Amino acid sequence: MEHFNKPLTTLSIMVLLAPLLMATDPDPLQDFCVADLTATTSVNGYPCQPPSSAGDEFLFSSKIATGGDPTGNANESNVTQLDVNEWPGVNTLGVSMNRVDFAPGGVNPPHVHPRATEVGIVLRGALLVGIIGSNDSGNRYYSKVVRAGETFVIPRGLMHFEFNVGEEAATMVVSFNSQNPGIVFVPQSLFGSNPPIPTPVLVKALRVDTEVVELLKSKFTGGSAAPMNDNFADLCVGEAW
């Protein structure tokens, strides 16, 4: 009876099975999978509606044809989202969009999209787009004033912001390579988390006094945004917009 080398045989089987064990199909397996937003179960997304009930309107949306009022909050900017929750037709397609409207001096505060790269185009006005690199780049700050018709790209996971440096209102439209890119607003996350980050942690990390941390927390509790600094323009003296 022939004897097999068990370790070698086991290794051979694993090599043969590896392509099957690692096989994945990240692409959609059908033309469309219109999200059933009312479903009680989901796995990294939404289940599909039956094709017979989806109709054909899921291919189209007019939601970002107009924007909201950017003067209704302290940041003086308004985000109109068009992710899978607002546009079920993009379910499983790995895309979504936002429209952001800015009043003069309005800002889309420093934030991160943890699940997507962002590509944007300015439709009107002039926006200072700032991107902060990771530790690998020495936390380098990249910036440029992007004007109507010009584009920009934000790598996935990098902190960034947009600030209207013009005297008129500004608008941009951005797209993401995720149906749900997610967003983490840095100031809100640090000072308005629920439950709050312990004050001693922020005092140590930010190297400021307790009173400063408590003041900042008071600006963000309850989901409100901190008022714009009255002297914000003074901080920008010398910048060539």
Side-chain angles (χ1 to χ4, degrees), residues 103-138:
V107 63
N108 193 16
H111 61 280
V112 170
H113 300 292
R115 295 185 290 273
T117 291
E118 173 181 345
V119 175
I121 181 170
V122 176
L123 300 183
R124 62 171 177 162
L127 295 173
L128 173 66
V129 178
I131 306 163
I132 298 87
S134 67
N135 287 343
D136 293 343
S137 70

Side-chain angles (χ1 to χ4, degrees), residues 185-199 202-203 206 208-210 212-224 226:
F185 282 110
V186 177
Q188 183 68 47
S189 298
L190 286 176
F191 304 109
S193 65
N194 185 21
I197 297 174
T199 294
L202 294 175
V203 167
L206 301 177
V208 296
D209 295 333
T210 299
V212 175
V213 171
E214 293 299 336
L215 174 63
L216 290 171
K217 282 187 173 183
S218 71
K219 304 292 186 180
F220 290 91
T221 53
S224 61

Side-chain angles (χ1 to χ4, degrees), residues 84 119 163-164 173 175 204 206:
V84 66
V119 175
F163 172 61
N164 184 3
V173 170
S175 60
K204 192 73 171 180
L206 301 177

Side-chain angles (χ1 to χ4, degrees), residues 88-166:
V90 303
N91 191 42
T92 75
L93 300 183
V95 293
S96 59
M97 301 177 72
N98 281 352
R99 169 180 173 145
V100 188
D101 292 277
F102 301 80
V107 63
N108 193 16
H111 61 280
V112 170
H113 300 292
R115 295 185 290 273
T117 291
E118 173 181 345
V119 175
I121 181 170
V122 176
L123 300 183
R124 62 171 177 162
L127 295 173
L128 173 66
V129 178
I131 306 163
I132 298 87
S134 67
N135 287 343
D136 293 343
S137 70
N139 300 119
R140 180 174 175 179
Y141 169 55
Y142 307 86
S143 67
K144 180 179 174 62
V145 173
V146 183
R147 304 182 189 279
E150 297 179 338
T151 56
F152 59 90
V153 62
I154 312 292
R156 173 180 174 178
L158 291 190
M159 183 166 57
H160 58 284
F161 65 85
E162 297 88 20
F163 172 61
N164 184 3
V165 296

